[in-house]
Amino acid sequence: MLSRKKDWRQQVAYQIYPRSFADSNGDGIGDLPGITAKLDHLDALGVGIVWLSPVYDSPNDDNGYDIRDYRSIMQEFGSMADFDAMLAGMQQRGIRLMMDLVVNHTSDEHAWFKQARSAKTNPYHDYYIWHDPVDGREPTNWEAAFSGSAWTFNEATGEYYLHMFSKKQPDLNWENPKVRQEVYELMHFWLKKGVGGFRMDVINMISKPWLEAGTFSKSEARLPNAPKVQDGFLQPAFEMVTHGPRFMAFMREMKQEVLDHYDCISVGEAPCATLEQAQEITNPETGALDMVFQFEHMDVDSQAGKGKWALKALHLPDLKASLSRWQTGLHGKGWNSLYWCNHDQPRAVSRFGDAGLHRVRSAKMLATCLHMMQGTPFIYQGEELGMTNVKWFNIKAYQDIETRNMYAQAVLQQGRPHQDVMASIHAKGRDNARTPMQWSASQHAGFTQGTPWLALNDNFSQVNAAQARADADSVFHHYRQLIALRKNWPVLVDGDFELLLPKHTALFAFTRRLHDVQLLVLCNFSAQFQGLPLKQLPDFSAATPLIGNLPSSEWAMAPDTLAAWEARVYVLA
Ligand code: GLC
Ligand code: CA
């Protein structure tokens, strides 16, 4: 069957992290009826796609990214009837629902893994990835993303199993055709219900190079250690498993078996993905997915090779070089996703803007910069309000497994100073993005009647949806305008991209051009006035304003200067 995709490229997506979005029954945990009750917020914004983080049954070692049953709803979130009502509510508003497909791994409490670990002869054993001990210990020095070894010993079989994340998230063995069929069937299950696509969790990690060689679970083939970047036994090892030799074959098979049969869209989360790999994955003829989430621009404020917690001040030319390489590299060859943040990243305005005095203006500047690029913008819940990071000083306030494990390792095992480790958590911790959505200035920000599962950001009396919807100058209304522009300006969807002033340390300037329509985008990533180097920019003396974060009536008063965090978009004559 042919793929019958409705045109989605002029639409903007919105990510919901259900645990923190809206609680309908006072248990302090966001849920599906809570989402259904808030759909008008999304409708008012104008988004056409929702990416919903996992809502499946899960023991919540990693807030739903550890799935126990792919066909049922997490009890805390509601029932299948609640899901159907939420989906119907989205469909009525013309919003496409994209589910989160987490199939690099399952929960260790999934029925498959319980079977698999019971005996080597169990028919489910080969659903997962096993290795005998090497010299009496873990087969390699690989470190899991949530600290500790990527291998955990299983008494019953005398083997280690692989988990690139927590030990409660064993990696599936995609070389096993039965595993692939199981995944395709569960995808059909959700698509038949009417969901409109998938965001695929760490999907480029499914093909493990050594399994392809047929050395299933055996110790005779010694796996390579990860290159040493720090002292000690364990080493980060994502590179060892991303974009493996059979990855594209698996993806094309999935496309043929499943995706091609529905009106659905797909975005693959792809840590470590290179531009060339993204071209291969999203090539409209020979690729398999519509777009990927790449991470290059998320690494610009950490020290190369040392991981996300090793902080480094942002040097704007690095960010520009990265984003513009992806803009030009995928133009006409694939499709970009655009994002500043999600449930794994800190809040954009705290990271790249100014969360204090210029919060509103810098949040609008960041939105303008991103939404004027080519690709599908993803807004993370609360970004449209300019929500900010939190700063708690007691590690016990944090719930995130990655943050807690990192703290335990760094402070308790390695003896690093509490202060330094907290500084990294304040800048990069995932709970920054996971504090409850701020709906109003009333108790618990209108998120819940009970006690929220994670503390609120205490700025909710100023920063909340009720305020933002009522204030025509809010971040919310700016996002609404940007979303509307994308629907009416084909140059935003199809135009090419050219970076200007690549070395400038405060200005992010670029053009978009489609036939005879050209836009000039000027963004000030600093709290200082910036004089515009007019000779290095196209002549915009006769241009008309399209959108900005200061009244366009004032632009002419300072034609060659941008104010703090100002953004302007001109339509060139
Ligand atoms: C992805 C998710 C993240 C999760 C991890 C393991 O990176 O976005 O939240 O912890 O995969 O599933
Ligand atoms: Ca609830």
Side-chain angles (χ1 to χ4, degrees):
M1 219 193 292
L2 281 176
S3 91
R4 292 168 283 110
K5 291 184 183 176
K6 295 196 196 99
D7 195 9
W8 52 272
R9 294 184 320 141
Q10 80 279 46
Q11 288 178 335
V12 170
Y14 185 96
Q15 183 192 352
I16 294 179
Y17 192 69
R19 201 169 199 77
S20 302
F21 194 63
D23 174 24
S24 70
N25 62 355
D27 66 356
I29 297 171
D31 48 47
L32 301 183
I35 296 173
T36 308
K38 296 294 186 189
L39 290 177
D40 284 341
H41 179 78
L42 307 187
D43 207 21
L45 203 52
V47 297
I49 304 165
V50 162
W51 154 26
L52 181 63
S53 278
V55 295
Y56 318 94
D57 175 45
S58 160
N60 281 311
D61 190 49
D62 184 19
N63 287 354
Y65 283 91
D66 48 322
I67 298 173
R68 185 162 49 197
D69 178 355
Y70 289 96
R71 287 181 174 77
S72 62
I73 299 294
M74 193 189 303
Q75 250 172 33
E76 290 171 328
F77 289 174
S79 63
M80 194 59 90
D82 295 328
F83 178 87
D84 292 339
M86 176 192 71
L87 178 59
M90 291 186 186
Q91 287 168 338
Q92 276 156 26
R93 292 167 178 83
I95 295 173
R96 177 195 287 276
L97 174 59
M98 218 186 211
M99 298 289 277
D100 212 316
L101 185 72
V102 187
V103 290
N104 172 69
H105 44 266
T106 68
S107 164
D108 66 338
E109 298 183 28
H110 193 290
W112 301 336
F113 191 71
K114 287 196 202 155
Q115 293 276 335
R117 75 186 312 172
S118 66
K120 286 187 182 178
T121 50
N122 187 285
Y124 287 93
H125 191 65
D126 270 347
Y127 271 45
Y128 294 87
I129 299 169
W130 304 94
H131 207 289
D132 290 338
V134 173
D135 303 331
R137 66 180 302 174
E138 293 83 0
T140 65
N141 67 357
W142 301 355
E143 182 172 12
F146 300 152
S147 308
S149 173
W151 300 97
T152 290
F153 191 67
N154 181 51
E155 295 284 345
T157 60
E159 301 160 296
Y160 284 91
Y161 64 88
L162 178 73
H163 52 88
M164 295 310 295
F165 294 87
S166 95
K167 63 174 188 285
K168 286 183 68 61
Q169 292 167 299
D171 280 42
L172 282 164
N173 175 13
W174 274 70
E175 294 296 331
N176 183 343
K178 286 195 212 135
V179 167
R180 305 205 296 274
Q181 279 313 314
E182 300 263 19
V183 170
Y184 303 153
E185 277 164 34
L186 75 91
M187 292 173 75
H188 282 296
F189 171 83
W190 290 101
L191 287 161
K192 282 188 186 136
K193 272 186 163 292
V195 315
F198 294 102
R199 174 269 186 186
M200 302 180 185
D201 195 66
V202 291
I203 197 67
N204 64 340
M205 292 169 57
I206 60 175
S207 165
K208 312 295 197 271
W210 68 97
L211 296 180
E212 190 240 3
T215 53
F216 261 40
S217 325
K218 300 293 176 279
S219 56
E220 63 269 22
R222 196 168 184 138
L223 295 180
N225 276 320
K228 275 207 183 277
V229 295
Q230 63 200 20
D231 294 333
F233 172 66
L234 296 173
Q235 306 295 325
F238 269 30
E239 283 83 359
M240 311 306 288
V241 297
T242 49
H243 212 90
R246 298 243 290 156
F247 170 61
M248 285 308 298
F250 294 156
M251 286 291 97
R252 289 187 185 115
E253 182 184 85
M254 177 197 279
K255 177 173 188 284
Q256 212 178 353
E257 298 264 331
V258 187
L259 301 173
D260 277 352
H261 302 270
Y262 301 87
D263 170 23
C264 74
I265 61 174
S266 53
V267 49
E269 188 201 22
C272 310
T274 63
L275 176 59
E276 292 68 32
Q277 291 167 351
Q279 287 167 340
E280 193 184 4
I281 301 167
T282 67
N283 181 299
E285 269 84 51
T286 57
L289 301 179
D290 291 305
M291 50 195 152
V292 299
F293 287 133
Q294 58 94 7
F295 283 69
E296 202 180 270
H297 67 301
M298 292 286 109
D299 293 336
V300 292
D301 56 355
S302 46
Q303 295 165 39
K306 292 202 178 162
K308 71 184 230 180
W309 305 107
L311 305 181
K312 185 181 121 187
L314 172 70
H315 180 54
L316 188 66
D318 297 342
L319 179 67
K320 295 192 290 188
S322 172
L323 287 171
S324 89
R325 213 166 60 81
W326 283 78
Q327 283 291 296
T328 47
L330 284 180
H331 180 72
K333 295 198 180 131
W335 191 249
N336 271 297
S337 69
L338 304 170
Y339 71 97
W340 286 133
C341 54
N342 57 43
H343 67 296
D344 295 329
Q345 299 293 337
R347 291 286 179 182
V349 70
S350 301
R351 185 178 191 176
F352 300 117
D354 172 358
L357 184 62
H358 294 298
R359 184 184 65 82
V360 168
R361 199 192 290 171
S362 65
K364 291 180 187 175
M365 182 282 288
L366 290 168
T368 310
C369 184
L370 196 76
H371 284 241
M372 288 296 121
M373 292 185 198
Q374 185 175 37
T376 298
F378 282 76
I379 300 169
Y380 176 67
Q381 68 185 42
E383 179 186 337
E384 79 282 19
L385 310 176
M387 277 177 64
T388 63
N389 282 354
V390 284
K391 205 174 199 173
W392 300 322
F393 293 95
N394 189 336
I395 186 63
K396 294 211 176 85
Y398 291 87
Q399 301 286 330
D400 171 32
I401 180 171
E402 181 190 43
T403 302
R404 291 169 81 120
N405 288 1
M406 185 281 281
Y407 181 90
Q409 193 179 52
V411 176
L412 307 177
Q413 288 173 32
Q414 297 165 355
R416 292 188 43 213
H418 166 85
Q419 246 84 340
D420 294 5
V421 176
M422 292 317 287
S424 289
I425 292 172
H426 295 158
K428 293 286 182 70
R430 304 197 296 182
D431 280 342
N432 282 310
R434 299 177 180 187
T435 62
M437 179 75 174
Q438 294 163 203
W439 292 105
S440 70
S442 59
Q443 217 201 1
H444 305 312
F447 164 72
T448 180
Q449 305 284 346
T451 308
W453 72 276
L454 179 69
L456 285 149
N457 188 318
D458 55 21
N459 65 7
F460 70 84
S461 54
Q462 295 93 54
V463 183
N464 62 69
Q467 181 284 329
R469 301 251 322 244
D471 172 3
D473 264 342
S474 66
V475 179
F476 177 89
H477 286 292
H478 190 77
Y479 270 90
R480 195 179 51 69
Q481 287 165 33
L482 288 167
I483 294 166
L485 283 176
R486 186 163 287 263
K487 293 178 189 148
N488 298 323
W489 285 78
V491 61
L492 291 176
V493 178
D494 289 314
D496 67 11
F497 173 100
E498 193 188 340
L499 183 69
L500 308 168
L501 316 177
K503 297 213 167 73
H504 203 291
T505 54
L507 292 174
F508 197 151
F510 58 90
T511 57
R512 299 290 310 277
R513 185 203 299 266
L514 182 67
H515 311 303
D516 51 356
V517 180
Q518 194 179 2
L519 306 179
L520 172 64
V521 181
L522 301 169
C523 297
N524 181 359
F525 274 68
S526 81
Q528 286 77 47
F529 279 93
Q530 296 295 334
L532 296 170
L534 294 180
K535 287 203 188 103
Q536 296 165 58
L537 296 171
D539 175 17
F540 59 93
S541 53
T544 47
L546 182 65
I547 189 165
N549 59 1
L550 289 174
S552 58
S553 53
E554 290 167 21
W555 296 7
M557 289 191 276
D560 53 5
T561 310
L562 290 192
W565 302 105
E566 185 175 0
R568 287 182 196 175
V569 183
Y570 287 102
V571 184
L572 296 182

